[in-house]
Structure formats: C-alpha cells, structure tokens
Amino acid sequence: MTIQKELLQLLDVLNFAAEKHRNQFRKDGFTPYINHPIQVANLLVQNGEDDVALLSAALLHDTIEDTETSEEEIRNHFGDEVLSLVLEVTDNKNLPSDMRKQQQIKCAPHASRRAKALKLADKICNVRDIAICPPANWSLDRRHQYLNWSEKVVAGLRGTNTALELLFDHYLSHGRDLLDEERIINSQ
Ligand code: ZN
C-alpha cells in the first residue's frame, strides 16, 4: 500500500469509528468516546508501531464491544486482517463482567503480537484515566482493584514492545501513588 492509500484508510477508519461512537462519552462523563481509540492509536505510533492494519484495529477496537457494529460491517469496510485484530481485543459480552475480566487474564498470553501491542496501549490509556480522571461513582477501592487487574492482564502481554511495557509500569505506579494520596487526604 502506498503512504497515501494508508493515510486514506486510516482517515476512513477514523470517520467510521467516530460515527459509531458519536453518542458515547468516556467514563468521566464528558470526554467524547472517540478520543479514547485515537489516544490508543497515538500511543502505538509514538512507540514504534506503524502497521496500518494494527492502527486501524486500534481506532476500531471498541466498536463491536460497545456499539451496534457487526463483524460483517468491519469485514466489508476494512477486510479480514483488521477484523481479526479487532476480534482478538473484543470481550465476549455474553459473559458476566467478572468472567470477562478473568478471560482477559487467561487469553492475554495467547494473543498475536499486534493484538498484544494494542491491548498494552489500551490498558495504558485506561489505567491513566482511572487514576487521573476517574468515573464519578467509582470508589478508591474499585479504582485500586482495576489497577491490580490491569497489572495481571499486562503480565501476559510482556515481551511485545518494551517502550509500551515501561510506559504501562510508569502509569501503574503513578496511579497507585495518586490513589494512596487520595486515601490519605480522605482519612484526614
Ligand atoms: Zn479501549
């Protein structure tokens, strides 16, 4: 694919994802949802991942899970390679939330290299958000549990992209520090 074709595909994907997420906000209640997949793709590029199928999947990674998008739509628009990456990072919504979380820990080591990189970037963004601008109704304990769970998922993703793994470690420890500070302030 020429550079121009690659850029056009990414813009096409971004347009598609923005349409699909148009009525959604992040858990903070005010950030447009599409900013999240954009940040995930951005992190991948900044850390050396420049494969167009991977970046397309990053922009689409929550469409099947969180919008009405079907597998066929993604296959028809963007092909099997992008679809299979999106499916690798899509939770089975038929499972209860606890089991989905367990599944993520179990499946992480078996994902393809590109899906692992995508999951790493996704977890970095989520850990950063939960620590810095959390959902209004999440307790400190719930945020702590989220960080602990993310650490377990990421344990199965290591050996994929050192820069992303170090970045995750940084945000995890920063997030834990912030929660500890909040706990101290709350107890005063
Ligand atoms: Zn995500």
Side-chain angles (χ1 to χ4, degrees), residues 72-89:
E72 286 66 35
E73 263 181 289
I74 294 197
R75 181 186 287 116
N76 291 341
H77 281 88
F78 310 113
D80 279 319
E81 190 184 3
V82 172
L83 174 63
S84 78
L85 282 168
V86 173
L87 289 177
E88 276 196 89
V89 300

Side-chain angles (χ1 to χ4, degrees), residues 33 36 40 61-62 122 126:
Y33 199 93
H36 166 66
V40 172
H61 79 273
D62 282 330
D122 190 31
N126 288 339

Side-chain angles (χ1 to χ4, degrees), residues 107-126:
C107 296
H110 310 292
S112 67
R113 202 205 82 86
R114 288 184 298 179
K116 282 181 178 172
L118 173 39
K119 277 166 178 274
L120 271 167
D122 190 31
K123 288 289 176 277
I124 291 168
C125 289
N126 288 339

